[in-house]
Amino acid sequence: MSRVQTVHVGDDEAEQRLDRWFRRHFPHVSQGRIEKMCRKGEIRVDGGRVKSNFRVVPGQAVRIPPLPTEEQIEAQAKTAHISKADAKMIQDCVIYKDDHIIALNKPPGLAVQGGSKTSRHVDGMAAALSFERDDTPRLVHRLDKDTSGVLVLARTQAMASALTAAFRHKHTRKIYWALVAGVPYPKIGTIKYGLVKAAGHGKGGEGEKMHCIHPRDVDSTPGAKRAHTDYATMCFLGQRAAWMALVPVTGRTHQLRAHMAQMGHPIVGDGKYGGSGQENQGDGWGAQLGDEISKKLHLHARFISFEHPVTGEEITITAPIPDHMKRSWDFLGWTEKDVPADPFDEDEEWQT
């Protein structure tokens, strides 16, 4: 906001309507706001209240109240298109906030960005996360629509650039939790299958998915990119299901989902990569476990750590699992105290 100021009408501005004079000097302020400020007596001419159609004369002193910046007006316009329910919902998702960064625990089913058939998404609600700041927070990475968990936004353009660079150069650590069908062997390991995008069967290529490519064939496969996932089995139920910790060393589209399916242990609830109609009765294929286990995707961005670009401090953000995963964990008899925060930490006294 600007401060209160006084502007004198110039010699070449005689007999102009006050609202038109005001718009010439402050073009980013709307007609509706000018009329409202006149009604409230915030705009005055020579100390007196006036209407927006008052005609000014040279030499008159016009009181200008504190005005929002162009950035604030733009943010307010974006916020105006967000329902109160959505604004409260996205604000309730905040699990970390400082002057530079905001982190959400994104709920499953909420897209991060819009698309041809997606109008409700985090990016479209970001103005509700400004919290009286001029800038609308900016996305610096993404999660799949049905994946829940930690999503980081930058509160300034400079911070967005710094965080994007940190993510690109792998100066961050992310751990995902997943429930998979069957139990991988070995219980701790690495998957290095490359990924290539294959178009779907819809008219516009809808339903596209990533196909795994053997590491030796990546360089000779057009469009294929190398991908690297570390995994650790933290708990398991016989040969039927396992609680996995997954680290996407690279950040390819659908990487964790495609890699786990390639192992023969798709993430529970993953209809795209695991077969939505197949029920897993033991060690083997099928992304549905039946019983009391939800059919929703069981993939959650549990943990992220990185060096704060401004303070230099190590920031660690942990997101509680969503309700459908909590119910599955309760059914399987698993609790968070049974596993370490980072099973890949060599200092952890823990074994699968």
Side-chain angles (χ1 to χ4, degrees):
M1 286 282 188
S2 64
R3 296 181 178 180
V4 174
Q5 56 186 307
T6 299
V7 178
H8 288 85
V9 179
D11 292 338
D12 60 342
E13 297 177 320
E15 294 302 315
Q16 284 191 56
R17 284 173 54 116
L18 174 63
D19 50 4
R20 293 173 183 169
W21 176 92
F22 202 100
R23 291 291 297 276
R24 280 187 60 194
H25 287 267
F26 306 98
H28 66 287
V29 180
S30 69
Q31 178 71 24
R33 182 180 288 272
I34 294 170
E35 292 177 358
K36 182 177 181 180
M37 290 188 292
C38 287
R39 289 196 302 271
K40 295 175 67 176
E42 294 175 340
I43 298 175
R44 293 177 178 251
V45 177
D46 288 340
R49 298 173 71 111
V50 289
K51 294 182 178 181
S52 62
N53 63 355
F54 176 84
R55 294 193 176 270
V56 298
V57 297
Q60 287 183 318
V62 182
R63 178 190 184 273
I64 310 298
L67 298 176
T69 64
E70 292 185 48
E71 291 79 8
Q72 287 174 319
I73 289 177
E74 182 179 347
Q76 290 168 359
K78 290 180 180 178
T79 306
H81 293 90
I82 305 171
S83 70
K84 290 184 178 180
D86 278 347
K88 182 179 187 306
M89 180 278 295
I90 202 69
Q91 289 168 1
D92 288 345
C93 291
V94 175
I95 53 176
Y96 176 87
K97 177 166 69 75
D98 64 23
D99 288 340
H100 311 282
I101 296 167
I102 286 178
L104 309 178
N105 184 8
K106 187 190 83 67
L110 178 63
V112 171
Q113 292 179 300
S116 59
K117 296 183 179 180
T118 303
S119 58
R120 186 172 180 268
H121 47 84
V122 174
D123 196 32
M125 302 177 192
L129 300 172
S130 297
F131 297 110
E132 309 302 324
R133 299 282 292 273
D134 291 347
D135 290 341
T136 296
R138 298 163 170 83
L139 296 166
V140 295
H141 67 123
R142 296 184 300 173
L143 296 175
D144 290 346
K145 178 180 179 180
D146 293 323
T147 301
S148 57
V150 182
L151 182 70
V152 178
L153 297 88
R155 304 191 73 180
T156 64
Q157 180 58 58
M159 182 56 58
S161 298
L163 286 174
T164 299
F167 279 49
R168 182 184 303 118
H169 298 297
K170 305 180 179 65
H171 296 158
T172 59
R173 181 162 183 77
K174 303 176 188 176
I175 295 180
Y176 288 69
W177 279 1
L179 175 64
V180 305
V183 182
Y185 183 83
K187 290 188 172 65
I188 297 178
T190 295
I191 310 167
K192 290 190 174 181
Y193 271 76
L195 294 170
V196 64
K197 184 179 293 185
H201 301 295
K203 293 182 180 179
E206 296 87 354
E208 65 182 18
K209 60 190 297 186
M210 307 304 291
H211 285 193
C212 287
I213 304 295
H214 194 282
R216 67 170 175 265
D217 299 324
V218 172
D219 292 339
S220 60
T221 303
K225 296 181 179 180
R226 296 194 178 275
H228 178 177
T229 299
D230 292 333
Y231 70 89
T233 307
M234 300 198 294
C235 288
F236 53 93
L237 181 66
Q239 292 298 313
R240 192 175 181 205
W243 174 0
M244 307 298 298
L246 307 173
V247 173
V249 180
T250 53
R252 310 303 183 195
T253 301
H254 296 177
Q255 176 178 316
L256 302 181
R257 298 164 62 184
H259 271 174
M260 294 312 298
Q262 175 64 31
M263 290 186 71
H265 301 287
I267 296 173
V268 171
D270 191 349
K272 180 183 287 286
Y273 292 94
S276 59
Q278 300 180 45
E279 184 171 323
N280 183 281
Q281 297 295 339
D283 189 13
W285 194 251
Q288 301 299 341
L289 295 184
D291 292 322
E292 301 299 319
I293 305 299
S294 171
K295 292 184 178 181
K296 293 182 179 180
L297 183 69
H298 285 62
L299 179 61
H300 177 71
R302 169 66 174 179
F303 165 103
I304 189 170
S305 66
F306 55 91
E307 182 180 293
H308 196 294
V310 174
T311 67
E313 297 179 0
E314 186 72 14
I315 300 296
T316 298
I317 304 170
T318 302
I321 58 177
D323 289 343
H324 75 279
M325 289 181 66
K326 179 66 166 59
R327 290 192 295 271
S328 296
W329 262 235
D330 290 344
F331 178 78
L332 295 167
W334 295 337
T335 60
E336 296 177 10
K337 65 180 178 61
D338 295 333
V339 301
D342 186 350
F344 305 93
D345 188 342
E346 294 180 356
D347 294 331
E348 289 276 7
E349 296 182 0
W350 169 83
Q351 292 181 347
T352 59

